[in-house]
Amino acid sequence: MSTGARAFWVTSPGEGEIRHVDVRGPAEGEVLVRSLWSGVSRGTETLVFRGGVPESQHAVMRAPFQEGDFPGPVKYGYLNVGVVEQGPAALVGRTVFCLYPHQTRYVVPATAVTVVPDSVPAERAVLAGTVETAVNALWDAAPLAGDRIAVVGGGMVGCSVAALLARFPGVRVQLVDADPARATIAQALGVDFATPAEAVGGRDLVVHASATEQGLTRSLELLADEGTVLELSWYGDRKVSLPLGEDFHSRRLVVRSSQVGAVSPARRASRTYADRLALALELLADPALDALVTGDSAFEELPDVMPKLASGEIPALCHRIGYGQERLT
């Protein structure tokens, strides 16, 4: 037995549509999930929408339940919260998070969903995938008590990292962004704010998440001697230049990449992907993280909303998509 559902597809770079799909009933060990909310990550997802995934990265950038191929048509996304309607008795009726695209209903293995803790509202749980990226980044960065840290780039990932760093004992965190309006979000997260020109140097660690050449250059300038820039930005098919002359070598500076596709080597022997995601959901009990959701739209509006998110006409960190209360048909 199958049921009707609808999904958002990128049909070609810069264009998308909602398509009707048939969703079969779940087999043993599977769940049927009705979506409540999904989130649009303005960085990676809008890059996919613009067709900016380089051919060499097509395989690496595939989302877990992606259909189609880059640049399109492709069904892409990975921030979905829903309720289990059919499946193992222990999961039926539970609110779950899944790395699934924007679709009203879907069937996945039961192992692909993570139960959202009762302490976390479903509408906040769409942030789980991004907070998971921040967890992995901090496993890579290994900040120490009392460190002086800057986070350059006040987007969804950068703000998530800053929010988690604010919990470290004695750590002084400054969120750096060219948009002065990000100061309000920094305040909500409990961290200092500065524009790039005002940012304080002498940082033991700089986490870079602006996805701009200027931001990466400024990150190096903010480091103390022998400090590290942890690079979280992904530039897609864009080239960037970096000043590795001058005092880069004499100050023994480090630029290190971090990527959520693999568990950090620092925890790979003792943590699984499921462990990392479960931790991210636990951390979302903090209501301060609501500041990362900066807008809402209905699922039906996605074909009109995605171009505006990609162009910046709708400024956003996480833009949340609501699915109403659709029932089985």
Side-chain angles (χ1 to χ4, degrees), residues 75-141:
K75 184 176 75 174
Y76 192 87
Y78 48 84
L79 302 173
N80 187 290
V81 177
V83 61
V84 176
E85 292 191 318
Q86 297 177 28
L91 289 175
V92 171
R94 302 299 301 271
T95 300
V96 295
F97 177 85
C98 185
L99 297 168
Y100 204 87
H102 308 282
Q103 184 165 313
T104 57
R105 276 187 179 80
Y106 55 90
V107 170
V108 293
T111 53
V113 301
T114 302
V115 174
V116 176
D118 292 339
S119 58
V120 179
E123 57 268 31
R124 190 187 304 150
V126 296
L127 298 168
T130 307
V131 173
E132 182 184 12
T133 299
V135 167
N136 206 57
L138 295 185
W139 284 349
D140 279 334

Side-chain angles (χ1 to χ4, degrees), residues 37 49 70 112 163 268 301 306:
W37 304 94
F49 183 73
F70 303 119
R268 196 171 297 162
E301 299 174 299
M306 283 297 291

Side-chain angles (χ1 to χ4, degrees), residues 16 20 33 36 65 90 121 141 150 173 190 192 205 207 243 254 265 303 320:
H20 289 270
V33 178
L36 300 173
F65 294 101
V173 185
D192 294 334
L205 169 69
V207 179
V254 175
R320 190 166 52 200

Side-chain angles (χ1 to χ4, degrees), residues 42 46 50 306-316:
R42 188 173 177 272
T46 58
R50 295 193 302 266
M306 283 297 291
K308 295 176 181 178
L309 288 170
S311 69
E313 181 179 344
I314 298 178

Side-chain angles (χ1 to χ4, degrees), residues 15-329:
E15 297 185 354
E17 68 180 16
I18 291 175
R19 296 181 175 181
H20 289 270
V21 296
D22 288 328
V23 177
R24 60 174 174 77
E28 184 176 355
E30 294 182 326
V31 289
L32 171 66
V33 178
R34 172 172 53 87
S35 295
L36 300 173
W37 304 94
S38 61
V40 178
S41 172
R42 188 173 177 272
T44 301
E45 260 194 90
T46 58
L47 188 146
V48 169
F49 183 73
R50 295 193 302 266
V53 180
E55 187 173 351
S56 65
Q57 297 298 300
H58 282 189
V60 174
M61 283 300 298
R62 287 194 69 85
F65 294 101
Q66 173 181 325
E67 293 182 33
D69 298 298
F70 303 119
V74 60
K75 184 176 75 174
Y76 192 87
Y78 48 84
L79 302 173
N80 187 290
V81 177
V83 61
V84 176
E85 292 191 318
Q86 297 177 28
L91 289 175
V92 171
R94 302 299 301 271
T95 300
V96 295
F97 177 85
C98 185
L99 297 168
Y100 204 87
H102 308 282
Q103 184 165 313
T104 57
R105 276 187 179 80
Y106 55 90
V107 170
V108 293
T111 53
V113 301
T114 302
V115 174
V116 176
D118 292 339
S119 58
V120 179
E123 57 268 31
R124 190 187 304 150
V126 296
L127 298 168
T130 307
V131 173
E132 182 184 12
T133 299
V135 167
N136 206 57
L138 295 185
W139 284 349
D140 279 334
L144 301 176
D147 271 358
R148 297 160 297 177
I149 302 174
V151 178
V152 176
M156 193 174 169
V157 171
C159 285
S160 296
V161 171
L164 298 192
L165 283 170
R167 305 174 182 210
F168 278 67
V171 164
R172 286 167 284 178
V173 185
Q174 187 168 69
L175 181 66
V176 180
D177 196 273
D179 182 0
R182 292 286 191 260
T184 302
I185 295 172
Q187 182 179 20
L189 299 177
V191 300
D192 294 334
F193 176 82
T195 62
E198 299 166 338
V200 179
R203 304 287 96 179
D204 302 297
L205 169 69
V206 176
V207 179
H208 179 237
S210 80
T212 67
E213 182 177 305
Q214 296 86 348
L216 183 52
T217 297
R218 187 62 176 137
S219 296
L220 284 170
E221 295 170 347
L222 294 175
L223 285 177
D225 289 355
E226 301 186 345
T228 296
V229 170
L230 188 76
E231 176 60 280
L232 293 183
S233 301
W234 191 65
Y235 299 90
D237 55 1
R238 289 180 291 135
K239 306 287 186 183
V240 297
S241 298
L242 192 60
L244 299 183
E246 302 178 3
D247 59 358
F248 177 79
H249 287 83
S250 63
R251 295 179 59 209
R252 299 180 62 83
L253 304 182
V254 175
V255 179
R256 182 182 178 190
S257 66
S258 177
Q259 209 271 342
V260 73
V263 174
S264 167
R267 292 292 178 269
R268 196 171 297 162
S270 59
R271 302 291 193 280
T272 65
Y273 290 101
D275 293 331
R276 191 178 65 182
L277 180 56
L279 174 58
L281 281 163
E282 289 177 19
L283 294 171
L284 280 166
D286 185 351
L289 290 164
D290 284 332
L292 304 186
V293 179
T294 52
D296 291 273
S297 297
F299 170 74
E300 292 79 7
E301 299 174 299
L302 264 174
D304 294 325
V305 166
M306 283 297 291
K308 295 176 181 178
L309 288 170
S311 69
E313 181 179 344
I314 298 178
L317 294 179
C318 177
H319 194 83
R320 190 166 52 200
I321 305 302
Y323 290 75
Q325 297 297 316
E326 294 193 3
R327 300 297 176 188
L328 282 171
T329 57

